[in-house]
Amino acid sequence: MPLARSLSVTSLSGLEEWDEEFDLEDAVLFEIAWEVANKVGGIYTVIQTKARLTSEEWGENYFLVGPYVESNVRTQVELIEPTNPALKQTIDKMNSSGCKVYFGRWLIEGSPYVVLIDIAFTAWSLDSWKSELWELCSIGVPWFDREANDAVLFGFLTAWLLGEFAAQCEQPAHIVAHFHEWLAGLGLVLCRQRQLPVATIFTTHATLLGRYLCAGNVDFYNNLAEFNVDKEAGDRQIYHRYCIERAAAHCAHVFTTVSQITAIEAEHLLKRKPDIVTPNGLNVKKFSAMHEFQNLHAQSKSRIQEFVRGHFYGHLDFNLDKCLFLFIAGRYEFSNKGADIFLEALARLNYLLRVNHSDVTVIAFFIMPARTNNFNVETLKGQAVRKQLWDTAQTVKERFGKKLYESLLVGQLPDVSKMLDKEDFTIMKRAIFATQRQCQPPICTHNMLEDSSDPILNCVRRIGLFNSSADRVKIIFHPEFLSSTSPLLPMDYEEFVRGCHLGVFPSYYEPWGYTPAECTVMGIPSISTNLSGFGCFMEEHIADPTAYGIYILDRRCRGVDESCNQLTSFLFQFCKQSRRQRIIQRNRTERLSDLLDWKYLGRYYIAARHMALAKAFPDTFIYEPQETAQTAGFRYPRPASVPPSPALSRHSSPHHSEAEDNEDDERYDEDLEAEKDKVNIRQPYTLPMKNKSIALIGANGNGDEVMSEKN
């Protein structure tokens, strides 16, 4: 589902549409991934959000290839007959040879064609294909690794599909096959080994070995050049998977990855430098209401506040209007995702807020799925108590209103002392007594199956943040993905993010990072690191990221304690901002949405495909590297007022405090600042294409040539 943003004065028009055309009439694109119509992780988001742009470029010649999962097909795919004659003959021949291949439309934006292969139906071929893999590539796959077995089946079937399609084409077609991750990588290796007429691209979104090494608390980035990759993979019993990934990277005509930091990692672990970096984008849907995202923030925040009222019933001794909502979300990788350093920084922030007698309260949400045994009874009770109090207040209000109406009807001013009778007071006293609580508000909203060994809960016990009245920092651990049907916090993820004030993602290992990107599109400031792809990308494109609400934590050149102090400083400075300052910062953050839209970032994928065609079919497509001017690429300028502290600007939100009007802040004109940004944006690189001649320049945004000599 596309993320929505406002089209207002804060929108930057500097990123223009790419008007150059390229002759793709006789070219066909197959994009192969395990997560086509099969949500497992972030690659699903990449393919789903990019599908509309790719469909517009390739039209009827774009096909996604993935595994057939019946439960997903029922809800996401409309099965139809193939429209391409060669593909129809290919599928018919494979089905008559003992396979089960389905064709349909994926019901997402762009409605791309999908070819879904039932790997379980051909499991009888697994042993023979494993033997063939050993004879051809000397890669042995153990019988107990189910995921690797699936990769073998999927790889041989996709290679079969591509080979059969090439054979069925009446005219020699220019086929481009784009493979994502190691699970699909074996198909690429087989295409090259069988010398199929296919231009191949391999994209790694995160290296296998890198993820495993970082999960083991290794000093990863300082020792990249020192790792004995074969030994490390063997010690972790993933050597066969590593071999498939490395073979795919080396066999591909074009090897890409999602960020500069992952490119460095791939060069050392996979032993090939990526030809081009293809950052992940988002499908940003715009609507025309002025500053609508600010209104959505206010609405979503009020819903979170309702949850907080119930969760902290009996201990609601803080001002919700001066309460900041922080969150971290993603896979439950305690160290890789930076939950460890975030908790330590929260403990230090709590000390600073208490010492400085701050009236700000911080509530930090941890949205990370873990093994649970249903909701916590105390948490559910809190929401029931809140609802009961609301019902009681409505009852008393109706009785009061009726008496007031009758008094005014006879032309008399009401006697306030008689407006509430004993029964009203009895009802209210019973409601107040019901809010009494003998225990502290719970940390975790669910019953954890492994409470004593859970990393987050153990860290909370160590730092001593138990949601006590004296603490200015409260913690809520929600070990389940958010859902609008939840009886506890009935909000979907997008709505929850809009209601928060700051996303905190101090990851140690994050090849890209969709969570801070989603925050940016929704106008929510975020903290990421210079070890994440998103953080590096923003540092490269923005002159002063902090001024735009993009805080980049240094985890590359600092130790853990120094990074923790820097994170604490970011959080403390954020807590000291006024409400008006936060509003203007959200305006600036949302202004960066164009930078993360596939309309801009999709051109890197286009460049990769053109590069692959030039390498695979040099007689038809000519690759001509050209020098690029130094103006290629762009950086957002530093805003006019830093830090955001407007005093005389118009209000961006309908909700507003009069006290903030009296602040002696410097002048801030949002319209003027947005216009300055538009003028200062330089155009990214372009790919002029004429007569099937390709020119790829400056794809890394700095004007450097990105083409590798490897084939």
Side-chain angles (χ1 to χ4, degrees):
M1 184 174 186
L3 298 171
R5 61 164 298 210
S6 63
L7 182 61
S8 67
V9 294
T10 63
S11 298
L12 291 167
S13 59
L15 302 176
E16 296 179 354
E17 295 287 341
W18 192 15
D19 295 327
E20 291 83 357
E21 294 183 356
F22 182 60
D23 186 4
L24 298 173
E25 186 177 347
D26 61 346
V28 179
L29 172 62
F30 289 90
E31 195 159 5
I32 302 111
W34 187 257
E35 297 195 34
V36 169
N38 177 38
K39 187 170 185 178
V40 178
I43 302 171
Y44 176 89
T45 305
V46 175
I47 295 170
Q48 182 198 40
T49 56
K50 186 170 61 67
R52 180 178 61 83
L53 188 75
T54 313
S55 295
E56 289 174 358
E57 181 194 359
W58 289 79
E60 299 287 304
N61 291 339
Y62 175 48
F63 305 99
L64 286 160
V65 181
Y68 177 84
V69 180
E70 187 172 354
S71 59
N72 295 333
V73 171
R74 281 203 212 102
T75 57
Q76 299 184 43
V77 178
E78 177 192 7
L79 296 178
I80 59 174
E81 284 294 315
T83 54
N84 184 299
L87 187 59
K88 187 179 188 309
Q89 294 171 15
T90 298
I91 292 175
D92 290 344
K93 189 164 185 180
M94 290 182 69
N95 287 338
S96 64
S97 301
C99 301
K100 253 192 180 177
V101 183
Y102 300 85
F103 185 85
R105 280 196 182 273
W106 191 2
L107 302 179
I108 58 174
E109 194 168 1
S111 300
Y113 290 128
V114 288
V115 179
L116 302 175
I117 304 173
D118 189 346
I119 61 171
F121 197 76
T122 50
W124 53 271
S125 300
L126 180 61
D127 287 339
S128 62
W129 284 346
K130 278 187 177 181
S131 299
E132 186 177 346
L133 179 62
W134 173 256
E135 292 171 2
L136 295 175
C137 310
S138 299
I139 298 175
V141 178
W143 63 270
F144 55 81
D145 190 341
R146 183 173 179 177
E147 199 171 16
N149 289 337
D150 288 346
V152 171
L153 291 169
F154 189 54
F156 272 86
L157 287 167
T158 51
W160 186 353
L161 175 77
L162 293 171
E164 192 64 44
F165 179 80
Q168 295 294 337
C169 290
E170 295 180 1
Q171 299 291 333
H174 300 107
I175 303 171
V176 181
H178 191 156
F179 298 82
H180 292 267
E181 283 294 303
W182 74 275
L183 279 165
L186 185 56
L188 186 153
V189 176
L190 293 170
C191 284
R192 295 307 304 275
Q193 194 276 332
R194 296 172 182 177
Q195 298 182 353
L196 298 180
V198 177
T200 56
I201 306 169
F202 180 66
T203 297
T204 179
H205 296 259
T207 67
L208 268 172
L209 191 54
R211 194 177 292 283
Y212 273 84
L213 287 169
C214 287
N217 293 322
V218 173
D219 186 6
F220 181 66
Y221 291 99
N222 288 326
N223 294 289
L224 265 177
E226 310 300 327
F227 288 121
N228 182 335
V229 290
D230 295 312
K231 180 181 183 303
E232 296 291 351
D235 290 346
R236 288 158 178 78
Q237 298 184 7
I238 57 165
Y239 186 67
H240 53 292
R241 298 187 183 191
Y242 169 74
C243 288
I244 293 173
E245 182 182 41
R246 184 168 169 176
H250 282 267
C251 289
H253 289 102
V254 174
F255 174 41
T256 82
T257 188
V258 296
S259 64
Q260 294 290 352
I261 192 73
T262 314
I264 297 170
E265 173 189 339
E267 185 176 3
H268 286 93
L269 300 185
L270 299 180
K271 307 302 180 183
R272 176 176 178 182
K273 183 177 180 180
D275 299 300
I276 187 171
V277 172
T278 52
N280 292 336
L282 286 164
N283 183 15
V284 182
K285 179 182 178 183
K286 300 179 182 181
F287 51 88
S288 59
M290 183 81 75
H291 300 302
E292 183 66 16
F293 77 98
Q294 295 283 10
N295 300 331
L296 290 173
H297 167 73
Q299 294 167 14
S300 298
K301 183 178 70 173
S302 67
R303 296 191 62 182
I304 297 176
Q305 287 175 336
E306 283 300 299
F307 167 78
V308 169
R309 288 187 178 100
H311 191 83
F312 289 91
Y313 84 93
H315 295 270
L316 202 63
D317 51 4
F318 50 88
N319 187 351
L320 275 175
D321 289 332
K322 294 188 176 181
C323 187
L324 299 179
F325 300 136
L326 279 55
F327 81 98
I328 182 173
R331 286 189 306 273
Y332 196 174
E333 297 178 7
F334 185 64
S335 297
N336 280 0
K337 294 297 181 182
D340 52 353
I341 192 174
F342 184 29
L343 282 166
E344 183 62 37
L346 287 174
R348 300 180 187 187
L349 175 66
N350 184 55
Y351 171 78
L352 289 175
L353 293 175
R354 291 177 63 178
V355 166
N356 288 275
H357 305 289
S358 174
D359 59 355
V360 173
T361 300
V362 172
I363 298 181
F365 290 87
F366 288 74
I367 313 295
M368 292 181 160
R371 297 179 63 200
T372 63
N373 188 23
N374 218 327
F375 295 106
N376 186 314
V377 174
E378 188 65 25
T379 306
L380 288 173
K381 180 183 175 183
Q383 300 307 313
V385 168
R386 177 191 61 78
K387 189 176 186 302
Q388 181 185 5
L389 285 173
W390 175 259
D391 293 341
T392 300
Q394 294 301 308
T395 301
V396 174
K397 186 178 76 171
E398 288 177 8
R399 293 161 65 97
F400 183 94
K402 185 177 180 181
K403 293 175 183 178
L404 177 61
Y405 169 70
E406 290 175 349
S407 176
L408 295 174
L409 201 61
V410 297
Q412 295 179 358
L413 288 174
D415 185 353
V416 179
S417 62
K418 295 180 180 179
M419 296 301 290
L420 295 175
D421 55 26
K422 287 185 178 180
E423 185 179 353
D424 294 326
F425 280 103
T426 300
I427 293 174
M428 289 188 290
K429 286 179 181 178
R430 288 179 60 182
I432 292 173
F433 289 161
T435 64
Q436 294 179 357
R437 198 179 210 171
Q438 303 301 321
C439 61
Q440 300 282 11
I443 298 291
C444 188
T445 58
H446 292 59
N447 296 319
M448 300 290 291
L449 286 179
E450 299 171 350
D451 184 289
S452 60
S453 60
D454 184 78
I456 288 180
L457 295 182
N458 281 339
C459 188
V460 168
R461 296 179 185 115
R462 179 179 62 80
I463 62 180
L465 287 179
F466 299 119
N467 292 344
S468 67
S469 297
D471 290 327
R472 300 266 46 85
V473 174
K474 321 286 186 181
I475 294 176
I476 299 176
F477 178 25
H478 190 280
E480 192 176 77
F481 284 130
L482 297 171
S483 169
S484 58
T485 60
S486 169
L488 193 63
L489 184 57
M491 302 177 72
D492 59 30
Y493 178 73
E494 179 183 341
E495 188 179 8
F496 174 78
V497 171
R498 286 192 183 279
C500 289
H501 295 92
L502 182 70
V504 184
F505 314 103
S507 306
Y508 182 73
Y509 185 79
E510 190 70 79
W512 176 246
Y514 259 122
T515 42
E518 289 165 341
C519 284
T520 302
V521 169
M522 289 185 271
I524 304 301
S526 64
I527 297 175
S528 55
T529 73
N530 57 1
L531 292 181
S532 72
F534 173 83
C536 294
F537 181 80
M538 285 303 188
E539 278 189 320
E540 179 184 348
H541 287 81
I542 307 173
D544 186 2
T546 302
Y548 283 90
I550 308 294
Y551 299 88
I552 309 295
L553 184 66
D554 185 4
R555 295 202 66 178
R556 186 185 299 181
C557 304
R558 300 191 186 202
V560 176
D561 189 60
E562 288 180 287
S563 297
C564 190
N565 283 335
Q566 187 185 19
L567 177 57
T568 306
S569 175
F570 285 160
L571 296 176
F572 188 55
Q573 293 300 319
F574 188 83
C575 290
K576 291 197 295 186
Q577 287 184 3
S578 69
R579 184 172 177 278
R580 291 280 306 285
Q581 289 173 325
R582 293 197 302 272
I583 287 173
I584 298 305
Q585 189 175 57
R586 284 198 295 273
N587 283 340
R588 290 184 181 158
T589 304
E590 192 269 349
R591 189 174 301 148
L592 303 178
S593 298
D594 289 313
L595 189 61
L596 299 170
D597 196 338
W598 276 121
K599 287 184 178 178
Y600 166 62
L601 295 179
R603 61 191 69 189
Y604 292 105
Y605 275 88
I606 293 172
R609 291 192 285 265
H610 293 174
M611 192 185 299
L613 283 169
K615 285 190 173 186
F617 308 106
D619 294 337
T620 308
F621 301 95
I622 302 171
Y623 167 64
E624 296 178 353
Q626 297 179 2
E627 292 294 329
T628 181
Q630 291 301 313
T631 56
F634 60 94
R635 287 172 69 87
Y636 281 68
R638 185 182 176 89
S641 63
V642 180
S645 54
L648 303 176
S649 63
R650 69 169 185 268
H651 300 302
S652 301
S653 168
H655 308 288
H656 159 81
S657 171
E658 291 182 3
E660 291 170 350
D661 284 341
N662 299 324
E663 296 176 3
D664 185 19
D665 293 329
E666 60 185 288
R667 181 177 181 82
Y668 175 90
D669 188 325
E670 186 180 325
D671 292 5
L672 179 60
E673 183 185 329
E675 289 301 323
K676 286 182 178 179
D677 283 353
K678 292 177 185 179
V679 170
N680 280 280
I681 293 178
R682 299 173 187 166
Q683 288 304 305
Y685 80 102
T686 57
L687 301 182
M689 270 83 59
K690 292 183 179 178
N691 300 323
K692 293 192 178 183
S693 173
I694 305 173
L696 302 177
I697 54 176
N700 60 3
N702 290 327
D704 301 326
E705 291 182 10
V706 295
M707 184 66 187
S708 169
E709 293 301 321
K710 295 181 180 178
N711 289 298

